Amino acid sequence: MVDMMNNRFRKDMMKNASESKLSKDNLKKRLKEEFQHAMGGVPAWAETTKRTTSSDDESEEDEDDLLQRTGNFISTSTSLPRGILKMKNCQPANAERPTVARISSVQFHPGAQIVMVAGLDNAVSLFQVDGKTNPKIQSIYLERFPIFKACFSANGEEVLATSTHSKVLYVYDMLAGKLIPVHQVRGLKEKIVRSFEVSSDGSFLLINGIAGYLHLLAMKTKELIGSMKINGRVAASTFSSDSKKVYASSGDGEVYVWDVNSRKCLNRFVDEGSLYGLSIATSRNGQYVACGSNCGVVNIYNQDSCLQETNPKPIKAIMNLVTGVTSLTFNPTTEILAIASEKMKEAVRLVHLPSCTVFSNFPVVKKKNISHVHTMDFSPRSGYFALGNEKGKALMYR
């Protein structure tokens, strides 16, 4: 017998006070009655006798036949859908080493499940990426060296770091565990070395100098190969995906394209509607060039038109930001372009490619935990997206 009184759901099934105890069979019948009453009869899936299909209704027969076999009938789409991006918050990358200093660089290791976080607290930290706790591997402290930018070499064996006010370039050899300061590059007349780029093939290092100079260094020896000069100042620069060209955005709204081997200017084009550039990025597949300007517009160009025309028309101008676009990053599969401005809180958007539409569910409007974004990166297989803000948090998303 089952006691009906000590279960609040079964109390409702009692028809009178004498049913304080029911046998199991009677309880089963009562549950069945309650269910049928709620469902309005016996649902089709609960009928034990197989429904007979009429001979003229062949589609239903096909359906039954389909359900007899297992197999992959629904294949997943290879391209990323637009509109809403499936993503969730993870533990911040640097949760095991909290800081309040601004994060100036966040980058995923090209080969291992490691993320690097560097900031104005003079430290470069490496964390293992698991999305749950992100355990710290190590921190490298650089005396009186607030980090302006830190970056992995293309093979992932070295970390390069520059400071906000020094001409020293630190190279950390990860395999040997040695920190090597490069005090002086012969032929380099710069007082401060800050902004730099590493080519994807691992051969070159490009340093943005003052007065429009770009200095090309050999990555292996850190020796100067040659310099290039543009009109005005260098606002931002980047290598093309094949490392054969350099794109340099100038302080007067123009973009210069240089050949790396000959160090000759191949083309110079006007970034439409830009007074002065702030950021530039090229996609991994060699299809797009994105230029961010002072007014918050990101122009996405076809790379071929940038090499041939002096006034190329952008495929799309992204108008979602209203302050100067300071960071641009394509994901490795060229399906997302992340754009951000450090001048305003929550000013970060993810753009879907090739439709050039913004994902509507990021950032989450109500949360307001992103603040001012200074750096962004995607993991090598685009499983994670990380961004660093001025509050010392390296936020990470799956």
Side-chain angles (χ1 to χ4, degrees):
M1 301 294 279
V2 179
D3 189 0
M4 301 289 279
M5 293 301 284
N6 64 2
N7 187 315
R8 64 193 176 94
F9 296 113
R10 286 177 190 164
K11 255 187 213 173
D12 304 339
M13 291 183 208
M14 289 165 57
K15 289 184 178 169
N16 51 41
S18 64
E19 292 189 330
S20 63
K21 284 191 174 170
L22 277 181
S23 70
K24 281 195 174 171
D25 287 344
N26 285 351
L27 177 63
K28 194 173 170 184
K29 270 184 197 158
R30 187 64 51 83
L31 285 165
K32 216 173 201 175
E33 279 168 28
E34 288 281 321
F35 181 74
Q36 285 176 14
H37 177 68
M39 293 295 289
V42 182
W45 57 262
E47 286 176 0
T48 46
T49 53
K50 194 171 182 350
R51 287 172 298 133
T52 54
T53 52
S54 54
S55 56
D56 60 338
D57 197 352
E58 281 183 3
S59 65
E60 209 151 289
E61 267 182 4
D62 288 350
E63 248 169 58
D64 281 352
D65 180 47
L66 188 69
L67 299 173
Q68 299 303 318
R69 293 179 286 115
T70 61
N72 188 9
F73 292 113
I74 302 167
S75 64
T76 54
S77 165
T78 50
S79 58
L80 185 74
R82 56 190 268 186
I84 287 179
L85 186 61
K86 283 188 194 165
M87 64 192 300
K88 64 171 198 269
N89 290 2
C90 295
Q91 182 82 325
N94 63 341
E96 285 210 353
R97 190 191 176 277
T99 175
V100 289
R102 186 177 95 197
I103 304 291
S104 52
S105 289
V106 168
Q107 195 192 0
F108 288 93
H109 190 279
Q113 283 189 319
I114 293 172
V115 65
M116 173 189 61
V117 179
L120 298 185
D121 59 351
N122 306 357
V124 178
S125 304
L126 301 172
F127 302 90
Q128 191 180 334
V129 179
D130 63 359
K132 295 177 185 74
T133 58
N134 306 320
K136 187 178 97 169
I137 298 168
Q138 71 179 128
S139 282
I140 306 126
Y141 184 79
L142 305 171
E143 192 75 35
R144 298 211 309 275
F145 201 81
I147 289 157
F148 179 82
K149 180 173 179 175
C151 183
F152 284 113
S153 61
N155 58 10
E157 288 174 9
E158 292 178 342
V159 175
L160 288 82
T162 58
S163 170
T164 52
H165 60 259
S166 166
K167 66 174 179 183
V168 179
L169 169 75
Y170 270 107
V171 180
Y172 177 66
D173 189 334
M174 290 169 72
L175 300 178
K178 278 197 311 197
L179 191 62
I180 307 149
V182 180
H183 289 285
Q184 184 66 51
V185 176
R186 186 177 292 171
L188 198 66
K189 301 280 196 295
E190 298 293 332
K191 295 263 193 329
I192 297 176
V193 174
R194 289 173 77 174
S195 181
F196 69 94
E197 298 296 325
V198 174
S199 69
S200 56
D201 67 354
S203 314
F204 304 108
L205 175 67
L206 185 74
I207 293 175
N208 297 350
I210 56 163
Y213 276 101
L214 295 151
H215 306 288
L216 193 69
L217 277 69
M219 189 68 190
K220 208 170 188 177
T221 58
K222 315 288 186 287
E223 288 179 321
L224 185 69
I225 298 169
S227 298
M228 300 161 271
K229 175 150 179 16
I230 67 171
N231 297 346
R233 60 179 179 80
V234 179
S237 64
T238 184
F239 282 93
S240 62
S241 53
D242 58 4
S243 305
K244 293 197 168 117
K245 294 181 246 345
V246 165
Y247 290 83
S249 177
S250 78
D252 49 15
E254 290 187 319
V255 179
Y256 294 73
V257 188
W258 296 83
D259 179 55
V260 170
N261 291 334
S262 65
R263 290 177 296 291
K264 285 193 170 76
C265 188
L266 301 174
N267 192 23
R268 165 181 163 190
F269 67 90
V270 177
D271 182 20
E272 193 180 79
S274 162
L275 287 177
Y276 58 91
L278 285 175
S279 51
I280 189 162
T282 54
S283 66
R284 191 78 61 91
N285 67 354
Q287 191 178 351
Y288 302 109
V289 176
C291 302
S293 73
N294 62 310
C295 50
V297 178
V298 177
N299 286 328
I300 302 175
Y301 295 96
N302 214 330
Q303 196 160 305
D304 297 337
S305 64
C306 293
L307 297 173
Q308 284 140 17
E309 301 167 37
T310 52
N311 284 309
K313 276 268 169 280
I315 301 166
K316 182 80 189 275
I318 309 286
M319 306 270 193
N320 291 63
L321 300 180
V322 292
T323 51
V325 183
T326 47
S327 316
L328 291 173
T329 313
F330 283 94
N331 84 324
T333 56
T334 317
E335 291 174 309
I336 305 173
L337 167 64
I339 65 175
S341 169
E342 64 187 35
K343 312 266 192 342
M344 196 168 161
K345 285 186 176 180
E346 313 295 309
V348 55
R349 300 287 183 273
L350 297 177
V351 182
H352 173 265
L353 298 169
S355 72
C356 297
T357 54
V358 171
F359 287 108
S360 58
N361 63 323
F362 183 83
V364 180
V365 182
K366 290 176 191 158
K367 286 204 174 154
K368 298 235 181 310
N369 62 343
I370 290 176
S371 207
H372 298 269
V373 177
H374 287 271
T375 172
M376 307 182 289
D377 194 31
F378 289 93
S379 64
R381 291 173 61 191
S382 300
Y384 290 96
F385 170 61
L387 49 88
N389 64 18
E390 98 291 2
K391 289 184 174 168
K393 284 218 162 41
L395 304 173
M396 203 157 78
Y397 301 89
R398 187 82 172 88

